[in-house]
Amino acid sequence: MQVLYFAWLRERVGAAAEQIDPEGATTARDLIARLCAREARYALAFADMAAVRVAVDQEMADLDTPIIGAREVAFFPPVTGG
Amino acid sequence: MQVLYFAWLRERVGAAAEQIDPEGATTARDLIARLCAREARYALAFADMAAVRVAVDQEMADLDTPIIGAREVAFFPPVTGG
Amino acid sequence: MADAGGAKVSVQREDFDIGAEIDRLTRGNRDIGAVVSFTGLVRERAAAGAIAAMELEHWPGMTEKALAAIVAEAEARWPLDAVRVIHRVGPLAPGARIVLVLAASRHRAAAFEAAEFLMDYLKTRAPFWKKEHGPEGGRWVDARDADDTAAARWQPKG
Amino acid sequence: MADAGGAKVSVQREDFDIGAEIDRLTRGNRDIGAVVSFTGLVRERAAAGAIAAMELEHWPGMTEKALAAIVAEAEARWPLDAVRVIHRVGPLAPGARIVLVLAASRHRAAAFEAAEFLMDYLKTRAPFWKKEHGPEGGRWVDARDADDTAAARWQPKG
């Protein structure tokens, strides 16, 4: 599964995109929990879950949206364009 | 007293500006009544009083505003700029 | 609160350059975060059919005074960094620009509201009159109730 | 309902020319009576002090899709003759233009409302992130509650 990170999530994870084995994670929240358990950089990046937004296969989603079968999951902070 | 007319009031009166002796008229409404009694072109111009707006000495006014001592009275239809 | 210089209000026969006016308004003021422009154009299809030309009559002297009063009112109501109003007079062809209103502020809410207010008050308080010329001759444009309604929303309630 | 041609949405590093964009949008359509533009600029004074530069990050591909969806929603809600959205990305200096939104319609109410809607939705739904660079280093801009409030007013009540 392709996982994307933007803005300070990208900086803290240290990557804009990664191929990640979801290891059976069923939701975005579940995937984050597995990543945080795996490496400290994820625990740092996802320390404030209230500031984390999710898109699954380029559709805006929430942390409890199912990700089984998804090709791409993106994590990013609230948007600040305009 | 200087009297100004704009838009279709100007066209119907046949003048943009006139020096008029107010003959003791105390309000704009009173002045109009005297003009209408004087010549048919005024009666035509002021036939629809609901569509007549007034300014006295370049301040927006209404038909019953006193005009005694005024230097200038202007008559015009509702504005349509912009 | 003041703009960098130049007139805030112009009544003129000549066309205007929207981009150049915005540049002039914002140049040198890096506190401005938002600029809203409104441009009014002569529509070819009027209430009474296609028009060949429009004539804008105004009251020289009084027009500028009325526009300046409307600008002052907007500046009193919103935290504006700059304001600009240009209104053309004389003959105008379909598609021609009639009016430009610009409002610049730190944030967009004030700029949007001030620009709408300026247009609503200009439409109902500035002494301009439009005459449309079509195949059946000239016709003075009627005032729209919708414009009075729009202007009334800025009055204190109650 | 369609504009005369050309993209409705652009995400680009280059600056844009507001006057030229308005001309392109209105050319050949003499039913347009009102054009509203919103231009967003980089403010020098940010929440954390003076900034030397701003960096605009976005999500290529998804950004254009999000903006196109916002434009389609505006076109469904208001009788628009033309719409245009340009958003810059990459490094931007204080005073630089960031975003342009244009809405053209027969009358001004639709043009004003659509432009405000486009900005409110763009601010809360399009994947852009601003990073300010100042004397104390880089700082990601926080989302503003006021933007969520502004966007919420376009949702159905109740």
Side-chain angles (χ1 to χ4, degrees):
Chain A
M1 172 185 287
Q2 177 88 345
V3 180
L4 307 180
Y5 309 96
F6 294 96
W8 50 260
L9 275 157
R10 172 179 55 70
E11 290 181 341
R12 291 181 194 170
V13 167
E18 298 178 306
Q19 273 303 133
I20 284 181
D21 176 356
E23 296 174 344
T26 56
T27 66
R29 191 188 300 280
D30 195 9
L31 176 63
I32 291 171
R34 284 162 203 256
L35 290 172
C36 290
R38 220 184 277 180
E39 284 183 54
R41 62 189 172 115
Y42 296 110
L44 172 68
F46 291 103
D48 179 10
M49 291 285 278
V52 176
R53 301 291 178 271
V54 187
V56 177
D57 287 337
Q58 302 208 348
E59 294 293 337
M60 297 303 276
D62 63 47
L63 290 168
D64 297 313
T65 301
I67 60 165
I68 298 164
R71 286 169 292 103
E72 181 189 272
V73 175
F75 295 111
F76 45 89
V79 300
T80 56
Chain B
M1 171 184 290
Q2 178 87 344
V3 180
L4 307 180
Y5 310 96
F6 293 96
W8 51 259
L9 276 157
R10 171 180 54 72
E11 290 180 342
R12 290 179 195 172
V13 168
E18 299 178 306
Q19 273 303 133
I20 284 182
D21 176 357
E23 296 174 345
T26 57
T27 64
R29 192 188 300 279
D30 194 9
L31 176 63
I32 290 170
R34 283 161 203 258
L35 290 170
C36 290
R38 220 184 276 180
E39 284 183 55
R41 60 188 172 114
Y42 297 110
L44 171 68
F46 291 104
D48 179 10
M49 290 286 276
V52 175
R53 301 291 177 271
V54 187
V56 177
D57 287 337
Q58 302 209 348
E59 294 292 336
M60 296 303 276
D62 62 47
L63 291 167
D64 298 313
T65 300
I67 60 165
I68 298 164
R71 288 168 291 103
E72 180 190 274
V73 175
F75 295 111
F76 45 89
V79 301
T80 56
Chain C
M1 296 288 285
D3 71 74
K8 289 183 186 176
V9 166
S10 300
V11 178
Q12 61 190 43
R13 295 178 72 87
E14 303 75 41
D15 197 7
F16 47 79
D17 179 330
I18 303 169
E21 292 294 335
I22 292 177
D23 283 349
R24 189 181 69 76
L25 211 64
T26 55
R27 192 174 300 141
N29 183 345
R30 291 179 171 169
D31 276 343
I32 296 174
V35 183
V36 171
S37 81
F38 176 86
T39 311
L41 305 170
V42 179
R43 292 181 56 211
E44 190 156 43
R45 267 191 286 177
I51 67 163
M54 177 174 276
E55 177 81 24
L56 248 300
E57 177 169 334
H58 79 124
W59 181 353
M62 182 65 170
T63 314
E64 291 82 353
K65 188 174 143 181
L67 293 176
I70 294 167
V71 165
E73 175 88 19
E75 290 177 322
R77 290 185 182 218
W78 289 277
L80 301 177
D81 286 281
V83 186
R84 181 81 171 111
V85 176
I86 305 176
H87 203 297
R88 295 177 70 190
V89 292
L92 294 169
R97 285 177 275 267
I98 306 171
V99 61
L100 176 68
V101 159
L102 301 179
S105 189
R106 294 185 181 196
H107 296 293
R108 72 187 185 285
F112 269 119
E113 285 180 24
E116 287 194 73
F117 169 87
L118 288 162
M119 279 308 303
D120 288 345
Y121 270 40
L122 183 155
K123 285 255 182 191
T124 52
R125 298 187 176 201
F128 294 101
W129 299 274
K130 284 178 184 149
K131 188 174 191 177
E132 295 167 348
H133 297 277
E136 289 165 25
R139 182 183 160 279
W140 291 95
V141 171
D142 290 323
R144 294 169 69 227
D145 289 342
D147 289 328
D148 290 325
T149 307
R153 69 185 153 145
W154 305 107
Q155 305 287 347
K157 298 281 192 308
Chain D
M1 296 290 285
D3 71 73
K8 290 182 184 175
V9 166
S10 301
V11 179
Q12 62 190 43
R13 295 178 72 89
E14 304 74 41
D15 197 7
F16 47 80
D17 180 330
I18 303 170
E21 292 293 336
I22 292 177
D23 284 349
R24 190 181 67 78
L25 211 63
T26 54
R27 192 174 299 141
N29 183 346
R30 290 178 171 170
D31 277 342
I32 296 174
V35 183
V36 171
S37 81
F38 175 87
T39 310
L41 305 170
V42 179
R43 292 180 57 211
E44 190 156 44
R45 266 191 287 176
I51 67 163
M54 176 174 277
E55 176 80 24
L56 248 299
E57 177 171 334
H58 78 122
W59 181 353
M62 182 67 171
T63 315
E64 291 83 352
K65 187 174 143 182
L67 293 175
I70 294 167
V71 166
E73 176 88 19
E75 289 177 324
R77 289 184 181 220
W78 289 278
L80 302 177
D81 287 282
V83 186
R84 181 82 170 111
V85 176
I86 305 176
H87 203 297
R88 293 178 71 191
V89 292
L92 294 170
R97 286 177 274 267
I98 306 171
V99 61
L100 176 68
V101 159
L102 301 178
S105 188
R106 294 186 180 196
H107 297 294
R108 71 187 186 287
F112 269 119
E113 286 180 22
E116 287 193 73
F117 168 88
L118 287 163
M119 278 309 302
D120 288 345
Y121 269 41
L122 183 156
K123 284 254 183 192
T124 52
R125 298 186 175 201
F128 294 102
W129 299 274
K130 285 179 184 149
K131 189 174 190 177
E132 295 167 349
H133 297 277
E136 289 166 27
R139 181 182 162 280
W140 290 95
V141 171
D142 289 324
R144 294 169 69 226
D145 288 343
D147 289 328
D148 289 325
T149 307
R153 69 186 154 145
W154 304 107
Q155 304 287 348
K157 300 278 193 309

